[in-house]
Amino acid sequence: MANSFLDECTAVLSRTPATLDALLRGLPDVWIHADEGKLPSGDATWSPYVVMGHLIHGEQTDWMPRLAIILEHGEKLPFTPFDRLAQFRDSKGKTLSQLLDEFASLRRENLAKLAAMNLQPEQLNSRGTHPALGPVTARQLLSTWTAHDLGHILQISRVMARRYRDAVGPWAEYLSVMHP
Amino acid sequence: MANSFLDECTAVLSRTPATLDALLRGLPDVWIHADEGKLPSGDATWSPYVVMGHLIHGEQTDWMPRLAIILEHGEKLPFTPFDRLAQFRDSKGKTLSQLLDEFASLRRENLAKLAAMNLQPEQLNSRGTHPALGPVTARQLLSTWTAHDLGHILQISRVMARRYRDAVGPWAEYLSVMHP
């Protein structure tokens, strides 16, 4: 019972690699590299390929490293800021299949480490310091890791669906994904 | 080349059952039956479980039956209106695993039928009559089938992520899925 929260999170976190694998592996490049055009800022929007690199960087530098900081240093040591653009450098030369494999492997290792920590409820209430958002708890971090996965599955689905905004013709009216 | 459009569509359509299987099978009920609360109209919003039933009904009554109407009757015979609430009746007593299996099986059969039709470009331009939207083409129907899958993967991810709207604490600011 104490760990139903952790079980809930890991139920989702452990499924994400296989979900993205089933959705993306072997897809034609037109889908893998689809994006939503330039933002008003001039920045590129993210394709499924770019998202995979971002998820890998999160496994390497965000979720488990920040959990470790919370448990070892509490609020005294703010997290290292996360590099939201790292994947444009780190994914260079890699195929989508390589990114899917790398993500699955890192996620598996991170969930094994998390399980081995056998976190207790009081540890989930431990606080750390986000460099921009201020005080946050380990529980909020793990909730965010989980919701972040789902948010990027959502993003990939949206980017892909919107490739067909014109192709669906009058049906666009019924497809909320096509509405801005 | 003539069939690159069909190949694109079927690349996505053939992956959806495994994607939903990887995302949902075996998840705790709190995720499977999560929804977004009541709409202002008083209607219920859809859980992942409800969405699976809706996708099944689409395989049975929407996409391939409408394609057959277009190719056999053209614009003369309007499509049978789609029942958006059929799943509340048809899914009764079924487990999520049963729905995932049923969807995968129906989708496999439908894609086998579609492949056997060996549709040519001029057939993709054939027109039918949507009971509310008016004239539509076979190409628009197949595009919509594809985008509809992605829209429901998006919806399931959104519904699940939003269960954690409060749990993520200050991180909600960074998670666009949490914004209305």
Side-chain angles (χ1 to χ4, degrees), chain A residues 103-118:
Chain A
F103 176 61
S105 161
L106 290 165
R107 174 59 59 89
R108 196 163 42 240
E109 290 164 22
N110 279 332
L111 291 181
K113 280 186 216 162
L114 180 65
M117 292 165 85
N118 189 23

Side-chain angles (χ1 to χ4, degrees), chain A residues 11 18 27 35 44 59 77 87 89 103 106 116 119-120 140 154 160 171:
Chain A
L27 270 187
D35 66 26
E59 294 304 301
L77 183 66
Q87 66 277 11
R89 179 187 69 230
F103 176 61
L106 290 165
L119 292 181
Q120 298 304 306
Q140 288 168 343
L154 180 161
M160 289 174 63
W171 266 291

Side-chain angles (χ1 to χ4, degrees), chain A residues 77-99:
Chain A
L77 183 66
F79 308 146
T80 308
F82 182 76
D83 182 356
R84 288 186 71 259
L85 302 177
Q87 66 277 11
F88 290 103
R89 179 187 69 230
D90 294 348
S91 296
K92 277 219 168 68
K94 295 183 183 166
T95 64
L96 179 78
S97 290
Q98 287 175 307
L99 298 181

Side-chain angles (χ1 to χ4, degrees), chain B residues 16-25 32 46-60 87-88 90-91 94-107 148 152-153 155-156:
Chain B
T16 304
T19 302
L20 293 168
D21 204 282
L23 179 62
L24 298 176
R25 191 182 295 264
I32 298 304
W46 292 8
S47 67
Y49 178 89
V50 171
V51 172
M52 285 311 307
H54 166 73
L55 290 171
I56 287 169
H57 197 64
E59 294 304 301
Q60 292 167 324
Q87 67 276 11
F88 291 103
D90 294 348
S91 296
K94 295 184 184 166
T95 65
L96 179 77
S97 289
Q98 288 174 306
L99 298 181
L100 288 165
D101 290 341
E102 193 175 349
F103 175 60
S105 161
L106 290 165
R107 174 59 59 91
H148 179 267
H152 284 295
I153 295 170
Q155 176 185 31
I156 288 173

Side-chain angles (χ1 to χ4, degrees), chain A residues 8 15 25-26 31 163-164, chain B residues 8 15 25-26 31 132 164:
Chain A
E8 263 187 27
R15 281 167 173 76
R25 191 182 295 264
W31 290 118
R163 267 197 78 217
Y164 276 2
Chain B
E8 265 188 26
R15 280 166 173 77
R25 191 182 295 264
W31 290 118
Y164 276 3

Side-chain angles (χ1 to χ4, degrees), chain B residues 65-104:
Chain B
R66 287 179 171 192
L67 180 62
I69 290 174
I70 292 178
L71 296 176
E72 288 164 32
H73 302 280
E75 296 185 75
K76 292 189 304 291
L77 182 66
F79 308 147
T80 308
F82 182 75
D83 181 356
R84 287 186 71 261
L85 302 176
Q87 67 276 11
F88 291 103
R89 178 188 69 231
D90 294 348
S91 296
K92 276 217 168 68
K94 295 184 184 166
T95 65
L96 179 77
S97 289
Q98 288 174 306
L99 298 181
L100 288 165
D101 290 341
E102 193 175 349
F103 175 60

Side-chain angles (χ1 to χ4, degrees), chain A residues 5-6 12 16 18 29 33 41 49 74-75 86 90-91 93 105 116 123 138-139 142 145-146 152 177 180:
Chain A
F5 165 73
L6 268 176
V12 173
T16 304
D29 278 355
H33 295 290
S41 64
Y49 178 89
E75 296 186 74
D90 294 348
S91 296
S105 161
Q123 291 174 291
R139 182 186 294 269
L142 295 170
W145 190 7
T146 305
H152 284 295
V177 61

